[in-house]
Amino acid sequence: MRRIVLSWILCIVLSIQVVNGWLTANNARSPLLSILVVSTCCVSRLHGYLTYLALRMPLKGTRPPPGSPWPMPKEWNPTSDLVTFDPDNFRFSSNLMNCDIVIQAIERYTPILFGYKGVKKAAGLSPLTELKMTISSNKCDQYPRMAMDESYELSVGDTAELTANQVWGMLRGLETFSQLIFYQDGQIFMNKTRIIDGPRFSYRGLHTDTARHYIPLPILKKNLDAMSYNKFNVFHWHIVDDQSFPFVSKTFPELSKKGAYTNKHVYKPEDVADIIEYARVRGIRVIPEFDTPGHTHSWGKAFPELLTPCYANGVPGTPIWGKYAAYENFDVTKEFVYEFLGKFFAEVKEVFHDEYIHMGMDEAYYRCWQSNPDITAFMQERRIEGNYSKLEQYYAERTLGIISDLGRKYVIWQDPVENGAKVRDDTVVMVWKGGNTAHEDHWNSYMEKIAPRGYNTILASCWYLNYIKYPPDWEALYTCDPQDFNGSQAEKDRVLGGETCMWSEYVDGTNILPRYWPRASSVAERLWSPKIVKNTTDAMYRIDQQRCRMVRRGIPAEPILDGYCGDYDWGFGDVDTPEVDKPPTCTGGFRLEGRITLLVLPLLIVFVL
Amino acid sequence: MSSFVGIILLLIAVEIPGSFQHDRGHSKFRGPQVSQTAGTPWPMPLSYHTQATFTYVDAGEFKFTDVDESSSCSILEEAYNRYFPLIFGRRPETLFFKSSFKAPTDAMTELMVKLEKPCKDTDYPMLESDESYTLDVNGNQAMLSASEIWGVLRGLETFSQIVYQSNDGGFVVNNTQIVDKPRFNHRGMLLDTSRHFISVPILMTNLDAMAQNKFNVFHWHIVDDPSFPYQSEKFPKITNMGAYDPETHVYTQTDIKNIIEYARMRGIRVVPEFDSPGHTSSWGYGQPDLLTKCYTGSQPNGQFGPVNPVPNSTYVFLKSFFTEIAQLFPDHYMHLGGDEVSFACWQSNPEITSFMKKMGYTSYSQIEEYYMQNLLNIVGGLGKGYQIWQEVIDNGAKVRADTVVEVWKAGWEAEMEKVTKLGYKTLLSTCWYLNYISYGSDWMAYYGCEPFNFNGTDAQKQLIQGGETCMWGEYVDGTNVISRLWPRASAVGERLWSAKEINSAFLAQSRLTEHRCRMVRRGFQAEPITGPGFCREEFGGV
């Protein structure tokens, strides 16, 4: 008990000193040191960093003060001066108060800042009453884009000001502002701070595969929330694949009717629009991937004529197990395929608003094509000789042409380029190999092959979150740098960013969120923060703070260290009054959003009638 | 049995991959990788015969009927209340079927339940409890009989699993004859609530999941080095200074009683573990003289080691403390730990050195034995049996005849041989550490671990009481513990319940896939472990 009392006295004394300005930046030799002194004792009260075990066997690394942002801003100058807030007397103001993005951001961040039971302004400090948000473009942008400006400046002193060129920078700055806040004994604090920030990479993507397992909408939305807390700006929606076709197409409704797992495992047009809107107001782009010519088995359920019949003993549609199934890959020699894709992608263009569409093109293995005499004849006729990468090139050229004619740009996986196909110069190539399996080359060797050919690139290889091993594995994710390959400055400058991927062989709504978070947060800081921010011992505590922040905000982010988050660990709530016969509904999960119930109720009524 | 295998073989429609060159790790399986069975039980009963003939079950009219009401008790009544929604669904979606589907007039409307030995409201399960039951479904007649209440609970679970929803929305059950009993009496699950605190509602959710998988022991590794969430009545200082947060991250006496009651109602024993003399850092803050002071040279260096085995005060404390534990936890057994004692601190401490000289000890394992012997005597004196980790036996302590020894280290085959040769009841946990994770369908390894695979006589094998699957808490808390446990632990559940011959992961996978979806339907975050696929009802919607 004595230990606790002493630490409290120390904490209180130091806090008073800080409040009185005894240890302000002007007086103290090292303002950072004073912050650390105060924060270390306060941290031990607020968070689980300093477990008793840690006190006895201190872990290395610098513990961050509470209210440390993740990802680390470009410039962060905290002082030890504290301010507080009065939840009942605080407002956001902006020169764009009629902009939906600004209005909704204020609606979202108000409960994030003050929505926890019993938080109140700290005694003895005068509260900040306003965050003034200035968007200098004076423009309410509609959709986030590759070229958007996400930079911002934030100052918290006697007044608080956030300035950004565009609404997108305002969103990032607001997120940072919300992270600077911390609570101690229910009192709200923030250190006076000045931040100048902007992302290192313009493309910071997170990929979800909704074909191997269907991921319900509420989970996708939770994930978009978590993405915004980590400043990701692209949701790469790998929406269909061999296993299922959940995307409901108006032009070709048979695709999902026959290709989805069931008629409930689908994303209807209104669902897709809902996701895009949810992402948009958070400054997140939605890039859909319709992977072709491989990974298309589910398309063939409705349109078998799209697929190549594989041959065995001269019989079409015959599998040779271990080599190919009865049907594989689009039959790229058929005009029907291109007519079909023209209509299909015209719809995709209308549904999805991003300037980019991901065209897949990975793992189009040649063996089925090789077995098919019609394809051989086609190649002879067109003098596409010997090398099937030229057939792949033919397909890429025609398909990217379709997209280009629709006025859209394209991302593809590395495979065609690696195979030697020449694709259009403006193609963005996503490097995905060489991150995990031992028999491949390291990813940087692929980068070194592809970058000199002049393509813009995005790295995904080292961030495949579906692969798991005994933790902690976040450091390996954290230390992978997409520019760490041998290449010219120009080649490195053509790296647009990176992406973390979740292939869903073994994830669905039950486990995908804790599998993403906070591991994906590692990637987020690598892609946002300056290259020099890479000390894993320091990052360890900051990422732990970020994971607890996410837990507090309703994201089931899993632990990476021993310890606890505070009074808000996951699954708290009815600890005091457990109902013995309480049904086991989602107790370990998260609250389903009210709107789901609202959706279900009318349906229920319809059925009862 | 043969008819069952035939049906399973028919139901397995695994597509063969078209190509094995999936470098990305994407499988090239198309559609669900493993198909699902419909209405097959998990774990597999001892004898299971089922026919294609089925009967509708009228969800609107259905009730459980006691053959002899005088033999019933609150455990049974509450089980009926639980199982009704477990069979017919509690989620609004499943009610659609109820309203749109009209069961035919000859549908099944009741399950007759015959309990031979009347149960009492206060019954508590034991290692020796009889969990056997028979279940007979013939047309619209269904009868469940068991000798003890615990068998009825297992049989109700099985019944709830063989009723399934057909595509027309109606609930159906196939003609089925089941004679069932567990292969092992002790089918345990360890949760560590010290490295991360796990809230009471999540522990209860997990008990529900355990009941669904016929686990019958919750081994509660409640305290350890990092924190002491057990709220002691006699020694509140230990909790106040040893818990992560003495307000929020503690299990009060009431919480614990609720947990025990919740488990008891489901036929699950709660065996608490207060591990000592190692793994006790968190005890020391509120009980300053309990731990060994470590020395650098001739001076204490401020560090602490295991419990100090020398002073009498240690044993006075332990007696008082374990008396409290013995009163709170009704189970006959208490887990006393005894694992991973580090000798470095003892070696540095002059008090220990002189004590060893006095006792004529030449090795530190002797002093460990001295400590454990004293502790075992104390707990034995309280009338309790004890469960211990293997090190206690390895160090040669003399333990009571009814001691249950838990083997957890690598090389378990030799250890099992040794421990059973000494005549002790033995549990295996080595191969079921679920905190270790790897990519893919790792359940197959858990499924394939056979506790009898060691050199020993039949008499030695008779001593194997079962096993435990362990979830150490370094990297799990409320956010992920349920999805990390389930359905991987289900593989262990079947290994410990079903016959030794039920050991083909290939034959099991379709049944496990159905079982995991059944868990999801009941609200558990049971993760997918058999590759791409879907559940009719998904977690989070659909």
Side-chain angles (χ1 to χ4, degrees):
Chain A
M1 202 63 202
R2 207 172 54 216
R3 190 188 301 251
I4 286 182
V5 171
L6 273 176
S7 75
W8 265 114
I9 291 171
L10 189 70
C11 188
I12 292 163
V13 167
L14 286 170
S15 303
I16 292 168
Q17 282 180 323
V18 170
V19 173
N20 290 346
W22 287 14
L23 290 175
T24 57
N26 294 336
N27 295 351
R29 284 226 307 270
S30 162
L32 197 62
L33 182 72
S34 62
I35 292 169
L36 285 175
V37 169
V38 175
S39 63
T40 305
C41 79
C42 298
V43 161
S44 68
R45 305 253 39 89
L46 287 165
H47 298 286
Y49 311 133
L50 297 186
T51 65
Y52 287 112
L53 187 66
L55 284 173
R56 252 186 219 159
M57 291 176 262
L59 295 163
K60 283 193 291 185
T62 312
R63 286 158 186 82
S68 295
W70 184 282
M72 180 62 86
K74 205 190 284 181
E75 283 184 42
W76 176 41
N77 303 301
T79 74
S80 50
D81 285 347
L82 291 166
V83 294
T84 189
F85 297 86
D86 178 358
D88 298 327
N89 183 21
F90 179 80
R91 67 187 201 107
F92 296 92
S93 67
S94 170
N95 59 324
L96 281 182
M97 281 308 264
N98 55 355
C99 173
D100 56 356
I101 289 177
V102 175
I103 296 165
Q104 292 192 35
I106 292 171
E107 282 170 7
R108 283 199 309 278
Y109 279 98
T110 304
I112 284 176
L113 290 170
F114 307 125
Y116 309 107
K117 205 168 73 183
V119 296
K120 57 178 190 302
K121 82 180 164 76
L125 289 175
S126 65
L128 269 181
T129 55
E130 181 180 7
L131 175 66
K132 200 174 153 198
M133 305 188 293
T134 311
I135 294 120
S136 52
S137 71
N138 216 12
K139 192 164 159 258
C140 183
D141 293 292
Q142 277 293 297
Y143 283 94
R145 298 160 54 87
M146 182 79 94
M148 66 182 153
D149 185 344
E150 296 171 286
S151 65
Y152 67 91
E153 291 186 30
L154 174 65
S155 74
V156 179
D158 294 329
T159 59
E161 286 185 42
L162 170 61
T163 57
N165 293 324
Q166 297 184 350
V167 284
W168 316 117
M170 184 277 297
L171 288 178
R172 304 299 170 240
L174 197 49
E175 175 56 37
T176 305
F177 180 76
S178 77
Q179 297 189 359
L180 299 178
I181 212 161
F182 63 96
Y183 315 92
Q184 186 178 319
D185 278 348
Q187 300 189 93
I188 308 169
F189 295 99
M190 189 181 284
N191 287 86
K192 290 184 177 175
T193 302
R194 191 166 155 68
I195 287 173
I196 300 172
D197 201 9
R200 178 178 167 204
F201 292 109
S202 57
Y203 187 105
R204 304 181 306 284
L206 179 144
H207 153 291
T208 306
D209 164 11
T210 58
R212 289 175 178 80
H213 280 98
Y214 177 85
I215 312 292
L217 284 196
I219 310 254
L220 290 179
K221 288 183 177 178
K222 274 271 170 220
N223 207 41
L224 287 165
D225 285 336
M227 285 171 70
S228 73
Y229 303 152
N230 290 275
K231 299 193 171 74
F232 278 102
N233 67 355
V234 180
F235 169 34
H236 170 178
W237 193 350
H238 186 90
I239 191 165
V240 302
D241 206 303
D242 279 329
Q243 287 78 3
S244 76
F245 199 102
F247 174 74
V248 176
S249 161
K250 282 183 180 164
T251 320
F252 301 109
E254 302 89 337
L255 280 169
S256 59
K257 240 177 231 160
K258 296 191 175 157
Y261 280 139
T262 75
N263 61 5
K264 290 195 293 178
H265 290 75
V266 291
Y267 303 105
K268 296 190 210 92
E270 59 268 31
D271 299 333
V272 174
D274 191 13
I275 289 292
I276 293 170
E277 176 64 11
Y278 199 87
R280 181 185 77 85
V281 296
R282 285 160 179 77
I284 297 170
R285 302 159 54 197
V286 179
I287 299 186
E289 176 182 352
F290 291 92
D291 196 354
T292 64
H295 289 280
T296 44
H297 186 260
S298 66
W299 305 57
K301 293 249 171 86
F303 295 94
E305 57 272 44
L306 287 170
L307 302 183
T308 311
C310 315
Y311 278 68
N313 305 320
V315 185
T318 312
I320 298 181
W321 300 122
K323 277 179 90 177
Y324 43 72
Y327 297 86
E328 292 261 333
N329 290 2
F330 278 180
D331 184 345
V332 299
T333 66
K334 281 189 190 154
E335 279 310 304
F336 168 74
V337 168
Y338 304 101
E339 286 162 26
F340 180 92
L341 291 179
K343 286 182 207 155
F344 181 77
F345 279 105
E347 179 185 354
V348 168
K349 179 199 167 173
E350 292 308 313
V351 172
F352 292 90
H353 298 266
D354 201 79
E355 61 200 307
Y356 283 86
I357 296 171
H358 199 303
M359 299 298 294
M361 302 206 182
D362 59 318
E363 300 185 309
Y365 297 116
Y366 300 153
R367 285 182 296 197
C368 178
W369 281 347
Q370 284 165 343
S371 78
N372 183 307
D374 295 338
I375 289 185
T376 312
F378 177 87
M379 288 171 71
Q380 278 164 359
E381 190 184 308
R382 303 270 176 135
R383 311 207 167 209
I384 302 173
E385 279 168 13
N387 190 343
Y388 282 76
S389 73
K390 293 289 176 284
L391 189 63
E392 205 176 4
Q393 177 171 314
Y394 168 81
Y395 176 75
E397 176 54 31
R398 292 203 57 179
T399 323
L400 299 187
I402 290 171
I403 305 304
S404 187
D405 291 347
L406 289 167
R408 287 290 153 97
K409 298 175 182 171
Y410 22 79
V411 188
I412 61 170
W413 298 108
Q414 70 180 72
D415 306 49
V417 178
E418 184 196 342
N419 294 341
K422 182 165 171 18
V423 296
R424 297 181 166 216
D425 293 341
D426 58 350
T427 308
V428 176
V429 178
M430 202 168 256
V431 174
W432 65 270
K433 293 187 184 179
N436 295 79
T437 35
H439 66 272
E440 288 173 34
D441 294 331
H442 191 263
W443 65 263
N444 59 18
S445 72
Y446 292 109
M447 206 53 136
E448 283 153 20
K449 265 180 238 158
I450 291 162
R453 295 172 62 180
Y455 300 113
N456 283 332
T457 56
I458 292 166
L459 179 69
S461 309
C462 44
W463 295 315
Y464 268 39
L465 297 185
N466 47 311
Y467 291 121
I468 53 170
K469 59 186 179 103
Y470 190 66
D473 62 350
W474 67 271
E475 294 104 326
L477 302 165
Y478 187 73
T479 49
C480 178
D481 192 300
Q483 287 178 327
D484 281 354
F485 62 92
N486 289 323
S488 67
Q489 191 56 45
E491 284 163 27
K492 292 186 182 187
D493 289 345
R494 285 197 295 267
V495 178
L496 302 177
E499 182 165 287
T500 182
C501 298
M502 184 70 83
W503 299 98
S504 65
E505 279 86 351
Y506 297 100
V507 294
D508 68 1
T510 62
N511 61 351
I512 195 169
L513 292 172
R515 193 147 294 177
Y516 267 122
W517 309 103
R519 293 158 79 220
S521 303
S522 289
V523 185
E525 179 151 297
R526 180 59 43 241
L527 296 174
W528 176 278
S529 304
K531 187 176 167 74
I532 52 162
V533 179
K534 59 179 182 187
N535 182 331
T536 48
T537 43
D538 289 350
M540 175 166 70
Y541 299 101
R542 221 156 27 78
I543 199 172
D544 188 48
Q545 193 182 101
Q546 172 75 350
R547 99 105 181 159
C548 286
R549 186 180 284 131
M550 286 192 277
V551 168
R552 179 158 219 156
R553 294 180 183 188
I555 309 295
E558 66 178 19
I560 57 162
L561 294 173
D562 276 0
Y564 69 114
C565 281
D567 56 2
Y568 55 93
D569 263 321
W570 198 263
F572 280 24
D574 23 352
V575 177
D576 294 328
T577 51
E579 304 157 40
V580 169
D581 274 320
K582 191 166 160 286
T585 42
C586 316
T587 316
F590 51 87
R591 289 143 268 149
L592 289 185
E593 290 179 16
R595 70 193 72 178
I596 293 303
T597 325
L598 289 179
L599 270 173
V600 165
L601 271 175
L603 278 172
L604 242 183
I605 292 161
V606 167
F607 266 87
V608 169
L609 291 176
Chain B
M1 202 61 212
S2 57
S3 61
F4 151 68
V5 171
I7 284 169
I8 292 297
L9 283 174
L10 279 176
L11 284 164
I12 293 171
V14 184
E15 290 192 48
I16 305 296
S19 162
F20 290 118
Q21 278 188 302
H22 39 263
D23 291 350
R24 191 199 276 169
H26 306 182
S27 68
K28 298 280 272 188
F29 289 105
R30 282 67 197 278
Q33 183 164 325
V34 175
S35 64
Q36 293 181 33
T37 55
T40 59
W42 185 283
M44 178 53 70
L46 183 62
S47 160
Y48 171 61
H49 292 276
T50 187
Q51 294 87 42
T53 330
F54 64 86
T55 280
Y56 282 95
V57 183
D58 189 333
E61 297 294 318
F62 186 84
K63 61 182 190 304
F64 300 98
T65 310
D66 291 319
V67 170
D68 177 3
E69 271 181 41
S70 67
S71 65
S72 183
C73 64
S74 61
I75 300 172
L76 189 53
E77 296 308 317
E78 289 205 18
Y80 292 161
N81 293 338
R82 273 200 316 278
Y83 275 102
F84 188 87
L86 288 179
I87 294 168
F88 302 109
R90 63 167 62 85
R91 293 168 60 171
E93 293 92 320
T94 55
L95 294 175
F96 293 176
F97 298 110
K98 204 173 153 186
S99 52
S100 66
F101 181 83
K102 190 87 186 83
T105 49
D106 62 347
M108 178 185 292
T109 55
E110 67 177 354
L111 172 69
M112 303 283 286
V113 177
K114 190 173 153 198
L115 172 57
E116 282 159 24
K117 229 170 96 183
C119 62
K120 291 194 290 294
D121 292 353
T122 53
D123 282 348
Y124 185 88
M126 295 183 295
L127 179 62
E128 301 79 13
S129 290
D130 182 353
E131 295 170 290
S132 65
Y133 68 92
T134 62
L135 179 60
D136 190 26
V137 177
N138 191 3
N140 58 9
Q141 301 295 306
M143 167 77 92
L144 166 64
S145 9
S147 159
E148 295 189 10
I149 177 69
W150 317 116
V152 174
L153 293 182
R154 304 298 168 242
L156 283 172
E157 178 55 45
T158 304
F159 181 74
S160 78
Q161 297 187 0
I162 62 174
V163 176
Y164 60 101
Q165 234 168 353
S166 74
N167 289 332
D168 60 15
F171 289 94
V172 296
V173 58
N174 291 31
N175 271 5
T176 303
Q177 300 79 43
I178 289 172
V179 180
D180 199 9
K181 67 172 190 179
R183 180 177 170 206
F184 294 113
N185 288 344
H186 186 117
R187 303 178 306 280
M189 170 172 287
L190 176 149
L191 291 188
D192 164 10
T193 57
S194 170
R195 290 176 176 83
H196 283 98
F197 183 82
I198 299 172
S199 73
V200 171
I202 293 177
L203 290 179
M204 289 182 172
T205 297
N206 195 56
L207 287 166
D208 280 311
M210 285 171 68
Q212 196 182 334
N213 290 272
K214 298 193 171 72
F215 279 93
N216 66 355
V217 180
F218 170 30
H219 173 171
W220 193 351
H221 187 89
I222 188 165
V223 302
D224 203 303
D225 284 326
S227 78
F228 195 98
Y230 169 71
Q231 195 176 70
S232 169
E233 269 191 334
K234 284 186 190 163
F235 303 96
K237 271 175 72 179
I238 302 184
T239 314
N240 287 339
M241 303 189 69
Y244 281 139
D245 183 322
E247 298 282 318
T248 53
H249 289 61
V250 289
Y251 303 106
T252 65
Q253 299 273 315
T254 312
D255 289 338
I256 292 168
K257 283 176 190 153
N258 286 341
I259 292 274
I260 293 168
E261 178 66 4
Y262 199 86
R264 182 180 77 87
M265 284 292 170
R266 286 152 183 79
I268 297 170
R269 301 161 49 205
V270 179
V271 175
E273 176 181 356
F274 287 87
D275 195 356
S276 72
H279 289 282
T280 45
S281 295
S282 65
W283 304 45
Y285 307 103
Q287 196 66 21
D289 296 327
L290 182 64
L291 304 184
T292 309
K293 286 191 175 74
C294 310
Y295 279 66
T296 305
S298 60
Q299 293 299 318
N301 61 13
Q303 310 254 313
F304 294 87
V307 171
N308 187 344
V310 175
N312 191 46
S313 62
T314 292
Y315 302 102
V316 173
F317 164 79
L318 289 174
K319 183 163 187 189
S320 175
F321 182 78
F322 278 101
T323 302
E324 175 180 323
I325 304 305
Q327 282 163 0
L328 179 58
F329 290 90
D331 202 85
H332 176 64
Y333 285 92
M334 204 182 275
H335 201 301
L336 298 177
D339 61 320
E340 296 188 312
V341 183
S342 152
F343 296 147
C345 185
W346 280 349
Q347 281 164 352
S348 77
N349 182 304
E351 186 191 1
I352 306 267
T353 311
S354 65
F355 181 75
M356 284 184 59
K357 230 173 252 166
K358 184 181 131 200
M359 301 294 284
Y361 292 159
T362 51
S363 91
Y364 287 89
S365 61
Q366 285 173 291
I367 199 161
E368 183 184 350
E369 185 201 332
Y370 170 82
Y371 170 85
M372 284 311 293
Q373 197 64 65
N374 278 319
L375 176 60
L376 297 173
N377 292 344
I378 288 169
V379 173
L382 296 168
K384 290 284 185 180
Y386 30 76
Q387 199 174 319
I388 45 177
W389 297 109
Q390 68 178 70
E391 283 99 321
V392 179
I393 296 302
D394 295 347
N395 288 328
K398 188 170 160 356
V399 297
R400 277 167 58 134
D402 65 353
T403 300
V404 176
V405 180
E406 185 159 12
V407 173
W408 68 277
K409 290 186 175 183
W412 61 268
E413 295 88 345
E415 183 75 12
M416 300 273 275
E417 187 184 346
K418 178 176 122 187
V419 174
T420 51
K421 205 172 259 171
L422 292 169
Y424 295 117
K425 292 179 178 163
T426 309
L427 297 175
L428 175 64
S429 63
T430 308
C431 45
W432 296 313
Y433 269 40
L434 297 186
N435 49 311
Y436 292 119
I437 52 172
S438 57
Y439 181 72
S441 297
D442 62 353
W443 66 274
M444 293 186 178
Y446 309 130
Y447 194 74
C449 181
E450 167 50 53
F452 276 6
N453 277 355
F454 67 92
N455 287 326
T457 61
D458 283 352
Q460 276 174 279
K461 293 191 175 165
Q462 285 304 310
L463 288 166
I464 307 299
Q465 301 299 300
E468 290 192 344
T469 179
C470 300
M471 180 57 79
W472 297 97
E474 280 87 349
Y475 297 105
V476 293
D477 67 1
T479 61
N480 60 351
V481 70
I482 298 289
S483 61
R484 191 151 294 178
L485 279 169
W486 304 102
R488 292 161 77 222
S490 305
V492 185
E494 178 149 301
R495 177 58 44 246
L496 294 173
W497 177 279
S498 305
K500 189 182 175 196
E501 293 70 33
I502 304 291
N503 60 5
S504 159
F506 179 75
L507 291 178
Q509 61 183 352
S510 290
R511 210 160 31 83
L512 182 58
T513 305
E514 183 197 3
H515 185 63
R516 122 57 203 181
C517 287
R518 182 158 49 214
M519 293 190 74
V520 170
R521 182 165 78 93
R522 293 183 184 188
F524 302 105
Q525 288 168 284
E527 66 176 15
I529 58 169
T530 53
F534 67 96
C535 296
R536 186 141 67 174
E537 292 161 85
E538 301 280 7
F539 188 86
V542 177

